[in-house]
Amino acid sequence: MKKIWLAFAGIMLAFSVSAATFSDGQQYTTLDKAVPGAPKVVEFFSFFCPHCYDFERTYRINQALEQGLPKDVKLTRYHVDFLGGDFAPVVTQAWAVAMALGVEGKVVDPIFDGIQKSQTITDPASLKAAFIKAAGISSEEYDAAWNSFAVKALVSQQQKAAADFNITGVPSVFVNGKYQVNNAGLDTSSMNNFVADYVNVVKYLVAK
């Protein structure tokens, strides 16, 4: 019994130390006004944003979050329209298609690479071609989803959320509709430390 108690005390102490390392204004900030009904964990990003590219292709923050979060907590990702000019809303709608079809994981890297690395995605036609190749769907399936009510609703949902959170920069991650992860306040001594810090602060805020 004593061993069990000591082990439990050790766990509680470890949690207390971990929790003490995260503070409002440092690793995260509390919003002045909470956003009711927001996803538990939501990331705003843009396929045109170099920092978002690094988060996705270099740091793999999103994959780390998906693996590190509790099983009942989903990472929701919304695309924003304020980067990329007139092409941005088209890409937002394509991301809504990915969400509706459940193929986000298949298309995210090819779209990022096509827009920022190879620059082979420059218009709706090249975006569609890259999408259907990565997702393994037909042109007809893409068009049907593109014109569906569900996708139009998802586009509006992304745009409304960006307005509700007053998004002015990406990538931005929010938890429980009232906390924002402060990327600049995390451990940048190494890539692994940064990723671990990111996951841990989000987990801490989810439970807060």
Side-chain angles (χ1 to χ4, degrees):
M1 182 69 183
K2 183 178 180 181
K3 289 183 179 179
I4 295 174
W5 167 250
L6 288 174
F8 178 74
I11 292 170
M12 293 303 295
L13 179 60
F15 178 79
S16 298
V17 171
S18 175
T21 63
F22 302 133
S23 58
D24 197 350
Q26 181 63 30
Q27 290 83 14
Y28 69 93
T29 55
T30 301
L31 303 182
D32 293 333
K33 183 179 180 182
V35 178
K40 192 79 171 178
V41 181
V42 57
E43 177 204 3
F44 293 90
F45 77 104
S46 169
F47 282 111
F48 301 93
C49 162
H51 295 299
C52 298
Y53 183 93
D54 286 339
F55 260 48
E56 181 66 37
R57 304 294 279 123
T58 304
Y59 290 89
R60 295 289 184 181
I61 292 290
N62 304 294
Q63 291 86 338
L65 281 175
E66 288 170 347
Q67 293 172 7
L69 288 174
K71 297 298 183 182
D72 60 336
V73 178
K74 178 187 175 183
L75 170 64
T76 301
R77 305 182 67 187
Y78 289 153
H79 193 263
V80 298
D81 286 348
F82 56 77
L83 295 174
D86 294 339
F87 193 27
V90 177
V91 178
T92 296
Q93 187 157 343
W95 184 245
V97 171
M99 294 170 69
L101 297 180
V103 296
E104 301 102 305
K106 293 182 178 180
V107 304
V108 63
D109 285 355
I111 295 177
F112 261 122
D113 286 344
I115 289 177
Q116 294 201 42
K117 188 175 181 181
S118 65
Q119 297 181 343
T120 52
I121 297 178
T122 57
D123 56 23
S126 55
L127 173 61
K128 176 182 175 180
F131 189 108
I132 62 177
K133 180 181 179 180
I137 63 173
S138 67
S139 176
E140 291 75 18
E141 288 174 311
Y142 181 89
D143 290 341
W146 182 275
N147 294 310
S148 69
F149 174 79
V151 164
K152 289 180 172 59
L154 283 169
V155 169
S156 297
Q157 184 174 308
Q158 293 178 88
Q159 293 170 337
K160 182 179 185 301
D164 288 344
F165 278 100
N166 191 29
I167 303 299
T168 58
V170 287
S172 297
V173 172
F174 297 85
V175 181
N176 292 335
K178 56 183 177 180
Y179 304 113
Q180 180 177 7
V181 178
N182 179 19
N183 300 341
L186 303 181
D187 185 350
T188 57
S189 60
S190 73
M191 185 169 72
N192 288 341
N193 287 349
F194 180 76
V195 174
D197 224 18
Y198 213 106
V199 173
N200 285 332
V201 73
V202 171
K203 289 171 65 177
Y204 166 70
L205 293 172
V206 164
K208 187 173 170 62

